[in-house]
Amino acid sequence: MPNSVFGAPWRIAPSSALLLAVMFAPERTAAQAAARTVVAGTGIPSSLPTGPRAMMLGDWYRVVSVSSPAVSPDGKRVAMTVTKAVEGENRRHSEIWVANTTGGEPQRWTSPNTESSNPRWSPDGKYLFFTSQRAGGKGNSWAIRLDQPSGEAVQVPEYPSGSMPADGSFAVFTDAAAPAPQVPPGDPFAQQPPMARPPFDAITRPAVPARFDGRHVVDMVYKNNNTGFVPGRRTPRTWRPQQLVRQNVGDTARKQITNVAYSHRGAVVSPDGKWVAFLADPRLRPDSVVEMERDALAKLPYDKVRDEAERNEVDIYVISVDGGTPRKVADWMGAESNLEWSPDSKRLAFIGRPARTKNASLFVVDAAGGSPKNLIPGWQYEPGDLFWLKNGQMHVAADIGGRSALLRVDITGATLPKELIGGRRQLRAASYDAAGKIVAYTATSMTKPTELYVANADGTGERKLTGFNDAVNADVVWSDAERFTYRSVGNMEIEGWLMKPYGYEAGKKYPMVIYIHGGPHSAYGEGWFDEFQNLAAQGMFVLFTNPRGSSGYGADFTYSTRGRWGMEDYDDLMKAVDIVAARPDVDSTRMGATGGSYGGFMTTWIATKTNRFRAIETDRTITDWTYWYGSSDAQGLTEFEFYGKPWDNQALYDTLSPIRYVSKVKTPMLIVQSEEDHRTPMGSAEMWFMSLKKQGVPVELVRYPRSNHDLSRTGEPWLLVDRLGRLRQWFGYWLQGKAAN
C-alpha cells in the first residue's frame, strides 16, 4: 500500500469548549437528561446514562482498542495488546492480555502499573515476550515464563530476538557493528540544550554558551512530526552499516556474520537453518556512496527523463548462516520487501513494486537463483502482509477498496487469490500458529469497535474471543452506513458511504457533512471511526468517499491525481455530494464539509470554488504550497506529486494554493491546528484565519498545545475529545441552529 504523508496524553478546556452532549446528544428521556451531571468546570459527565442512546463525547474514553495479536506456537492461546484511555489522568494505557482459542474470558498478563505492548511467543512456547519500558532493566524486551511458576516479568538476554529457523535454536538480526561517534571530552557546549549546541559543520558559535538556549540548524532534516526538533550532529559525518548478527538460544554471546560497508535489511533465516536472505543495494555499494548520491540527486532540478525513470532500488541476496560471500538471487527492477522462505527452504517469496506508481505484486523465485514469477498477474489490488504456511499454502492480507480480507494465493499463479476471511469490515494483523492451522486477527466494522477473532486457516470456524467493547456497545447505538458506488469524471468508479444520523426517521430531512480523508493516498473503509460516529450522534448524515488518489484500488487509481490535486478528485467529491443532496431525506441547504491534512487542503480548496456548504471545518490545513515546502518535514511529497521543487514548477505550486483565491471564500470556517505539527505547520492556518477575518467571513482558529499532526488519532485524550466536541458545536450551530455556549 502506498505510504501516506498526511493523514485516520493534559489540561482540559473550559466547559464551553466541550459541552459533552449536554447540548448536542439528542435527549430521549427526562431520566437521561437528569443523569447528565457534569464535573464542575470540565463539561465532562460524572456518569453516563445507560442506553440505548446516541454517542456522548464521554463514551470515547470507554472504547478499547485491541491490536498486535500473537498466536502461541501450539495454537492454544492468543496474546494481544489492549489499550484504553485513563480519562482522569489524560493518558492511554496498554497491557498484554491472553485469550484461549477455545473461548472463555481473556486474562490480563501484565501489570496495570506499567505500559506493555507488542507480544510475541518464543518458538518453544516457554516465553511470552513483550515490549515495556521498566525501571531496573536493560532495553525494552521483557518476558513471562510459562514452563515454570512465574511472578514478575523478567529479562532474558540469552533469548535473542530476530528471525529463527524452524527448530528455534538461534536467531539472526541486524545491528550496526561500528560504534556511534562520540563528542570528545571537554565539550564547551555540553551544558546547553541539545538543539542549542552548534552542529559540527556550523560556522557560528554562541558568544556565551550558558546564555543561548535557542535552536541552531545547519542540516535540512532538523524536525520531525513525531519527535519534534532534531539536534544536528556534533561529530563528522559517518555511516554505520547494519550487519548480520547471530545469537544462539541460551547464550548471550553474539557472532557477527558480516562486516562490510553496506547495510543488510529484512533478514530472514531459512527454515532449515542454513541460509539467511536479506535485501541490499543492487551493486552492494557502501551506504556512504548510496546516501551521498541520493543527496546529490535531491539538489538537482526536476528532470522528467531522469526522475521518472524506473530504478532498481534493492535486490535479494542469500548468505550462509556462518558467513561468507553473499549470492544475488535475482536482478529485479524495482523495490522488494516482505521476504518469506518456502517451508522446504528452496524458494523465496516477496512483495515487489516495479516502480513507485505501479502496482505491488507477489513474486516467487528459486533461492538458488532465477527469474521471479508473478503469482497474481492482472490482479487489481495489492498484497499487504505475506504468510507462507508449513503446509505449503500461501496467504496474503490485502485491502479490497474500503474493506480488507485474508486470501489464499495459488502457488502456480494460474488463478487469482481466493478470499478466505473478509466481508464488510477491516481485518488487521493476522497471526498463525506454528502448524499453520489457526489464524487470529483483529476486526472492526462500521458499528463495532475492534475486537479479537480466531478462525481455522481455511477461513472456517470463525469465533470472537474478546468483548472489551460490549458495555459501550450495549449503551450506544452506533450508526451504520450505506455503501454505494458511482461513476465520476472519465467514467472512474468511486466508492462511498452515507452514514445515517442517530434516531433517523423516514420522511424527515437531516443536514449532511462530507468528510475528506488525508494522505492524500489514505482511504476510508469498513471500520468503526470515532469522528463519523461523533457527528452522526449529533443528528447529521455523514458522507465519506474514496476519491481518486485513495489507496486500496490499485496504483493507477492511487496516482491518477499526481500533479492534479484539487481537479478530478474535487469533481469526485462534488459528484458524491450531488448524489446525496438529491435524496429526499437530506437537506441540501444545510450541508457542511470537513477534513484533515490533504483533507484540510481540500476543504480550503472547496471554500474557494463553491458556496454550496453552509459551514466548513478544516484540520491540519495547507493553504500555500510554497510556504508548506519550506516549513514541513516532508518536502519529498510535493517534489514527487508536483513534479519538482517550487522553483522547478512554481506555477503549479501557486495554482494549487488555496490562498491565491481566498478572496472568493464566503463560507464560515473553523480552523483546527496543532502547535507542534511539523507535517502541516501552523503558518497555513494563520494565513487563512487572518485572510478570512480581514474579509469579514465568520472564522475561528483553535490551536492545540503539546500536539502534532496526529492529534485526532493519538493526541492527548482530553484534547482529542475537545476537538470532537468543537466539531459538534460548529456544525450544530451552522447546520442545526443550536447555539454554542
Side-chain angles (χ1 to χ4, degrees), residues 600 604 618-624 627-628 631 659 662 669-675 677 680-693 699-704:
T604 50
T618 187
D619 229 284
R620 297 158 282 164
T621 193
I622 306 101
T623 58
D624 187 309
Y627 160 77
W628 175 88
S631 60
I659 197 68
V662 71
M669 296 191 71
L670 171 65
I671 307 169
V672 170
Q673 211 85 356
S674 294
E675 298 281 2
D677 185 346
T680 55
M682 183 65 70
S684 277
E686 292 177 320
M687 282 191 287
W688 199 251
F689 172 79
M690 192 57 65
S691 299
L692 297 193
K693 204 70 180 171
V699 60
E700 292 185 15
L701 170 61
V702 179
R703 303 169 63 126
Y704 282 102

Short mmCIF file of all heavy atoms in Angstrom, two decimals, residues 600 604 618-624 627-628 631 659 662 669-675 677 680-693 699-704:
data_model
loop_
_atom_site.label_atom_id
_atom_site.label_comp_id
_atom_site.label_asym_id
_atom_site.label_seq_id
_atom_site.Cartn_x
_atom_site.Cartn_y
_atom_site.Cartn_z
N GLY A 600 -7.60 18.67 4.76
CA GLY A 600 -7.58 20.08 5.16
C GLY A 600 -7.32 20.99 3.99
O GLY A 600 -7.95 22.04 3.83
N THR A 604 -10.19 23.76 2.32
CA THR A 604 -9.93 25.17 2.00
C THR A 604 -10.07 25.40 0.50
O THR A 604 -10.55 26.46 0.06
CB THR A 604 -8.53 25.60 2.49
OG1 THR A 604 -7.55 24.65 2.05
CG2 THR A 604 -8.48 25.69 3.99
N THR A 618 -11.76 22.92 8.81
CA THR A 618 -10.52 22.49 8.17
C THR A 618 -9.48 22.17 9.23
O THR A 618 -9.25 22.94 10.16
CB THR A 618 -10.01 23.55 7.17
OG1 THR A 618 -8.89 23.02 6.45
CG2 THR A 618 -9.60 24.84 7.87
N ASP A 619 -8.87 21.01 9.07
CA ASP A 619 -7.96 20.45 10.07
C ASP A 619 -6.58 20.25 9.45
O ASP A 619 -6.47 19.71 8.35
CB ASP A 619 -8.50 19.06 10.48
CG ASP A 619 -8.58 18.87 11.98
OD1 ASP A 619 -7.52 18.67 12.58
OD2 ASP A 619 -9.70 18.91 12.52
N ARG A 620 -5.53 20.70 10.12
CA ARG A 620 -4.17 20.46 9.62
C ARG A 620 -4.07 20.91 8.16
O ARG A 620 -3.58 20.18 7.30
CB ARG A 620 -3.80 18.98 9.73
CG ARG A 620 -3.75 18.45 11.15
CD ARG A 620 -3.92 16.94 11.21
NE ARG A 620 -5.31 16.57 11.05
CZ ARG A 620 -5.74 15.34 10.76
NH1 ARG A 620 -4.86 14.38 10.58
NH2 ARG A 620 -7.02 15.08 10.65
N THR A 621 -4.49 22.09 7.88
CA THR A 621 -4.65 22.53 6.51
C THR A 621 -3.34 22.96 5.86
O THR A 621 -2.34 23.24 6.54
CB THR A 621 -5.69 23.67 6.42
OG1 THR A 621 -6.04 23.86 5.07
CG2 THR A 621 -5.13 24.96 7.02
N ILE A 622 -3.35 23.02 4.54
CA ILE A 622 -2.27 23.60 3.74
C ILE A 622 -2.92 24.61 2.82
O ILE A 622 -3.78 24.26 2.01
CB ILE A 622 -1.51 22.55 2.90
CG1 ILE A 622 -1.00 21.41 3.77
CG2 ILE A 622 -0.35 23.23 2.16
CD1 ILE A 622 -1.83 20.17 3.69
N THR A 623 -2.54 25.87 2.94
CA THR A 623 -3.15 26.91 2.12
C THR A 623 -2.16 27.53 1.13
O THR A 623 -2.58 28.18 0.18
CB THR A 623 -3.75 28.02 2.99
OG1 THR A 623 -2.72 28.59 3.82
CG2 THR A 623 -4.85 27.46 3.89
N ASP A 624 -0.88 27.36 1.36
CA ASP A 624 0.15 27.87 0.44
C ASP A 624 1.24 26.82 0.32
O ASP A 624 1.96 26.56 1.28
CB ASP A 624 0.73 29.19 0.95
CG ASP A 624 1.67 29.83 -0.05
OD1 ASP A 624 2.58 29.13 -0.54
OD2 ASP A 624 1.51 31.03 -0.35
N TYR A 627 4.96 27.96 0.98
CA TYR A 627 5.23 28.07 2.43
C TYR A 627 5.36 26.67 3.03
O TYR A 627 6.27 26.39 3.82
CB TYR A 627 4.11 28.83 3.13
CG TYR A 627 4.07 28.54 4.62
CD1 TYR A 627 4.98 29.12 5.48
CD2 TYR A 627 3.16 27.62 5.14
CE1 TYR A 627 4.99 28.81 6.84
CE2 TYR A 627 3.16 27.30 6.48
CZ TYR A 627 4.07 27.90 7.33
OH TYR A 627 4.08 27.57 8.65
N TRP A 628 4.43 25.77 2.68
CA TRP A 628 4.46 24.41 3.24
C TRP A 628 5.79 23.74 2.92
O TRP A 628 6.38 23.08 3.79
CB TRP A 628 3.31 23.59 2.67
CG TRP A 628 3.35 22.16 3.10
CD1 TRP A 628 2.81 21.64 4.23
CD2 TRP A 628 4.01 21.08 2.44
NE1 TRP A 628 3.09 20.29 4.31
CE2 TRP A 628 3.83 19.93 3.22
CE3 TRP A 628 4.74 20.99 1.25
CZ2 TRP A 628 4.36 18.69 2.86
CZ3 TRP A 628 5.27 19.76 0.89
CH2 TRP A 628 5.07 18.63 1.68
N SER A 631 8.45 24.78 5.32
CA SER A 631 8.22 24.64 6.76
C SER A 631 7.91 23.21 7.19
O SER A 631 7.97 22.89 8.38
CB SER A 631 7.06 25.54 7.21
OG SER A 631 5.87 25.20 6.51
N ILE A 659 -4.73 29.85 -0.94
CA ILE A 659 -4.59 31.23 -0.51
C ILE A 659 -4.66 32.20 -1.69
O ILE A 659 -5.05 33.36 -1.54
CB ILE A 659 -3.26 31.43 0.28
CG1 ILE A 659 -3.29 32.74 1.08
CG2 ILE A 659 -2.07 31.37 -0.66
CD1 ILE A 659 -4.27 32.73 2.21
N VAL A 662 -8.38 33.19 -1.95
CA VAL A 662 -9.09 33.34 -0.69
C VAL A 662 -10.15 34.44 -0.75
O VAL A 662 -11.12 34.43 0.02
CB VAL A 662 -8.09 33.60 0.46
CG1 VAL A 662 -7.47 34.97 0.36
CG2 VAL A 662 -8.76 33.38 1.81
N MET A 669 -15.85 29.21 8.58
CA MET A 669 -14.87 28.15 8.71
C MET A 669 -14.30 28.08 10.12
O MET A 669 -13.96 29.10 10.72
CB MET A 669 -13.73 28.31 7.70
CG MET A 669 -14.19 28.20 6.26
SD MET A 669 -12.83 28.09 5.06
CE MET A 669 -12.20 26.44 5.42
N LEU A 670 -14.19 26.86 10.61
CA LEU A 670 -13.47 26.57 11.85
C LEU A 670 -12.13 25.97 11.45
O LEU A 670 -12.07 25.02 10.65
CB LEU A 670 -14.24 25.59 12.72
CG LEU A 670 -13.51 25.03 13.95
CD1 LEU A 670 -13.20 26.12 14.95
CD2 LEU A 670 -14.33 23.90 14.60
N ILE A 671 -11.04 26.50 12.00
CA ILE A 671 -9.69 26.03 11.69
C ILE A 671 -9.11 25.37 12.93
O ILE A 671 -9.09 25.99 14.01
CB ILE A 671 -8.78 27.18 11.24
CG1 ILE A 671 -9.42 27.97 10.09
CG2 ILE A 671 -7.41 26.65 10.84
CD1 ILE A 671 -8.70 29.27 9.78
N VAL A 672 -8.66 24.13 12.80
CA VAL A 672 -8.04 23.41 13.92
C VAL A 672 -6.60 23.08 13.52
O VAL A 672 -6.37 22.48 12.47
CB VAL A 672 -8.82 22.13 14.26
CG1 VAL A 672 -8.04 21.28 15.24
CG2 VAL A 672 -10.19 22.48 14.83
N GLN A 673 -5.65 23.48 14.35
CA GLN A 673 -4.24 23.23 14.03
C GLN A 673 -3.48 22.94 15.32
O GLN A 673 -3.83 23.44 16.40
CB GLN A 673 -3.64 24.44 13.32
CG GLN A 673 -2.56 24.11 12.33
CD GLN A 673 -3.09 23.75 10.95
OE1 GLN A 673 -4.30 23.67 10.74
NE2 GLN A 673 -2.19 23.54 10.00
N SER A 674 -2.44 22.13 15.22
CA SER A 674 -1.64 21.76 16.38
C SER A 674 -0.34 22.56 16.42
O SER A 674 0.32 22.75 15.40
CB SER A 674 -1.32 20.26 16.35
OG SER A 674 -2.49 19.50 16.49
N GLU A 675 0.03 22.99 17.62
CA GLU A 675 1.21 23.84 17.78
C GLU A 675 2.50 23.14 17.38
O GLU A 675 3.45 23.78 16.94
CB GLU A 675 1.32 24.29 19.25
CG GLU A 675 0.16 25.14 19.74
CD GLU A 675 0.26 26.59 19.28
OE1 GLU A 675 1.21 26.92 18.55
OE2 GLU A 675 -0.63 27.38 19.66
N ASP A 677 2.82 20.60 15.10
CA ASP A 677 2.64 19.87 13.86
C ASP A 677 3.71 20.31 12.88
O ASP A 677 3.67 21.42 12.34
CB ASP A 677 1.24 20.15 13.29
CG ASP A 677 0.93 19.32 12.05
OD1 ASP A 677 1.86 18.74 11.48
OD2 ASP A 677 -0.26 19.27 11.68
N THR A 680 2.16 19.65 8.74
CA THR A 680 1.40 20.77 8.15
C THR A 680 1.46 21.92 9.16
O THR A 680 0.55 22.10 9.96
CB THR A 680 -0.06 20.37 7.86
OG1 THR A 680 -0.66 19.87 9.07
CG2 THR A 680 -0.12 19.27 6.81
N PRO A 681 2.53 22.68 9.14
CA PRO A 681 2.77 23.67 10.19
C PRO A 681 1.73 24.78 10.26
O PRO A 681 0.92 24.99 9.35
CB PRO A 681 4.15 24.22 9.83
CG PRO A 681 4.80 23.12 9.05
CD PRO A 681 3.68 22.52 8.25
N MET A 682 1.78 25.47 11.37
CA MET A 682 0.75 26.42 11.77
C MET A 682 0.56 27.58 10.80
O MET A 682 -0.53 28.14 10.68
CB MET A 682 1.10 26.97 13.16
CG MET A 682 0.09 27.92 13.77
SD MET A 682 -1.51 27.15 14.12
CE MET A 682 -1.07 26.09 15.51
N GLY A 683 1.59 27.97 10.07
CA GLY A 683 1.51 29.16 9.23
C GLY A 683 0.37 29.16 8.24
O GLY A 683 -0.23 30.21 7.96
N SER A 684 0.06 27.98 7.68
CA SER A 684 -1.05 27.91 6.73
C SER A 684 -2.36 28.32 7.39
O SER A 684 -3.18 29.03 6.81
CB SER A 684 -1.17 26.48 6.18
OG SER A 684 -0.28 26.27 5.10
N ALA A 685 -2.58 27.83 8.61
CA ALA A 685 -3.80 28.17 9.34
C ALA A 685 -3.83 29.66 9.68
O ALA A 685 -4.88 30.31 9.60
CB ALA A 685 -3.90 27.33 10.61
N GLU A 686 -2.68 30.20 10.07
CA GLU A 686 -2.62 31.62 10.43
C GLU A 686 -2.94 32.50 9.23
O GLU A 686 -3.68 33.48 9.34
CB GLU A 686 -1.24 31.94 10.99
CG GLU A 686 -0.97 31.28 12.33
CD GLU A 686 0.44 31.54 12.84
OE1 GLU A 686 1.39 31.51 12.02
OE2 GLU A 686 0.60 31.74 14.05
N MET A 687 -2.38 32.16 8.08
CA MET A 687 -2.67 32.94 6.87
C MET A 687 -4.16 32.89 6.54
O MET A 687 -4.76 33.89 6.17
CB MET A 687 -1.86 32.40 5.68
CG MET A 687 -0.41 32.82 5.67
SD MET A 687 0.40 32.44 4.09
CE MET A 687 0.55 30.67 4.21
N TRP A 688 -4.73 31.71 6.63
CA TRP A 688 -6.13 31.53 6.27
C TRP A 688 -7.04 32.30 7.24
O TRP A 688 -7.98 32.97 6.84
CB TRP A 688 -6.47 30.04 6.25
CG TRP A 688 -7.71 29.70 5.50
CD1 TRP A 688 -8.90 29.29 6.01
CD2 TRP A 688 -7.89 29.73 4.07
NE1 TRP A 688 -9.82 29.05 5.00
CE2 TRP A 688 -9.21 29.32 3.80
CE3 TRP A 688 -7.06 30.07 3.01
CZ2 TRP A 688 -9.72 29.22 2.50
CZ3 TRP A 688 -7.55 29.99 1.71
CH2 TRP A 688 -8.86 29.57 1.47
N PHE A 689 -6.73 32.17 8.54
CA PHE A 689 -7.52 32.86 9.55
C PHE A 689 -7.50 34.37 9.33
O PHE A 689 -8.55 35.03 9.31
CB PHE A 689 -6.99 32.53 10.94
CG PHE A 689 -7.62 33.33 12.04
CD1 PHE A 689 -8.89 33.01 12.53
CD2 PHE A 689 -6.98 34.43 12.58
CE1 PHE A 689 -9.49 33.76 13.53
CE2 PHE A 689 -7.56 35.18 13.59
CZ PHE A 689 -8.82 34.85 14.07
N MET A 690 -6.30 34.92 9.16
CA MET A 690 -6.20 36.37 9.01
C MET A 690 -6.89 36.85 7.73
O MET A 690 -7.56 37.90 7.71
CB MET A 690 -4.73 36.79 8.99
CG MET A 690 -4.52 38.29 9.12
SD MET A 690 -5.28 38.99 10.63
CE MET A 690 -4.29 38.18 11.90
N SER A 691 -6.77 36.06 6.66
CA SER A 691 -7.39 36.44 5.39
C SER A 691 -8.91 36.47 5.51
O SER A 691 -9.57 37.39 5.00
CB SER A 691 -6.96 35.48 4.29
OG SER A 691 -5.56 35.50 4.11
N LEU A 692 -9.49 35.45 6.14
CA LEU A 692 -10.95 35.43 6.30
C LEU A 692 -11.41 36.53 7.25
O LEU A 692 -12.45 37.17 7.03
CB LEU A 692 -11.41 34.06 6.79
CG LEU A 692 -11.17 32.86 5.87
CD1 LEU A 692 -11.96 31.65 6.35
CD2 LEU A 692 -11.50 33.18 4.44
N LYS A 693 -10.64 36.73 8.32
CA LYS A 693 -11.02 37.75 9.30
C LYS A 693 -11.05 39.14 8.65
O LYS A 693 -11.97 39.93 8.89
CB LYS A 693 -10.03 37.72 10.46
CG LYS A 693 -10.58 38.27 11.76
CD LYS A 693 -11.63 37.34 12.34
CE LYS A 693 -12.18 37.89 13.64
NZ LYS A 693 -13.35 37.13 14.11
N VAL A 699 -15.05 33.09 11.19
CA VAL A 699 -13.94 32.14 11.28
C VAL A 699 -13.45 32.05 12.71
O VAL A 699 -13.46 33.04 13.45
CB VAL A 699 -12.77 32.56 10.34
CG1 VAL A 699 -12.22 33.93 10.71
CG2 VAL A 699 -11.66 31.51 10.34
N GLU A 700 -13.07 30.85 13.11
CA GLU A 700 -12.45 30.63 14.41
C GLU A 700 -11.21 29.76 14.20
O GLU A 700 -11.21 28.86 13.35
CB GLU A 700 -13.40 29.94 15.38
CG GLU A 700 -14.58 30.79 15.80
CD GLU A 700 -15.45 30.11 16.87
OE1 GLU A 700 -14.98 29.13 17.47
OE2 GLU A 700 -16.58 30.57 17.07
N LEU A 701 -10.18 30.03 14.96
CA LEU A 701 -8.94 29.25 14.93
C LEU A 701 -8.70 28.66 16.31
O LEU A 701 -8.64 29.38 17.30
CB LEU A 701 -7.75 30.13 14.53
CG LEU A 701 -6.34 29.52 14.68
CD1 LEU A 701 -6.18 28.28 13.82
CD2 LEU A 701 -5.28 30.56 14.34
N VAL A 702 -8.59 27.33 16.38
CA VAL A 702 -8.30 26.64 17.64
C VAL A 702 -6.91 26.02 17.51
O VAL A 702 -6.67 25.19 16.63
CB VAL A 702 -9.35 25.56 17.96
CG1 VAL A 702 -8.99 24.85 19.27
CG2 VAL A 702 -10.73 26.18 18.04
N ARG A 703 -5.99 26.43 18.39
CA ARG A 703 -4.61 25.93 18.36
C ARG A 703 -4.41 25.01 19.56
O ARG A 703 -4.60 25.44 20.70
CB ARG A 703 -3.64 27.11 18.42
CG ARG A 703 -3.84 28.13 17.32
CD ARG A 703 -3.04 29.40 17.56
NE ARG A 703 -1.61 29.17 17.58
CZ ARG A 703 -0.73 29.82 16.81
NH1 ARG A 703 -1.16 30.73 15.95
NH2 ARG A 703 0.55 29.56 16.90
N TYR A 704 -4.03 23.78 19.29
CA TYR A 704 -3.87 22.81 20.37
C TYR A 704 -2.41 22.69 20.79
O TYR A 704 -1.54 22.43 19.96
CB TYR A 704 -4.40 21.44 19.94
CG TYR A 704 -5.91 21.37 20.00
CD1 TYR A 704 -6.68 21.48 18.84
CD2 TYR A 704 -6.57 21.23 21.21
CE1 TYR A 704 -8.07 21.43 18.90
CE2 TYR A 704 -7.95 21.19 21.29
CZ TYR A 704 -8.70 21.29 20.13
OH TYR A 704 -10.06 21.25 20.20
#
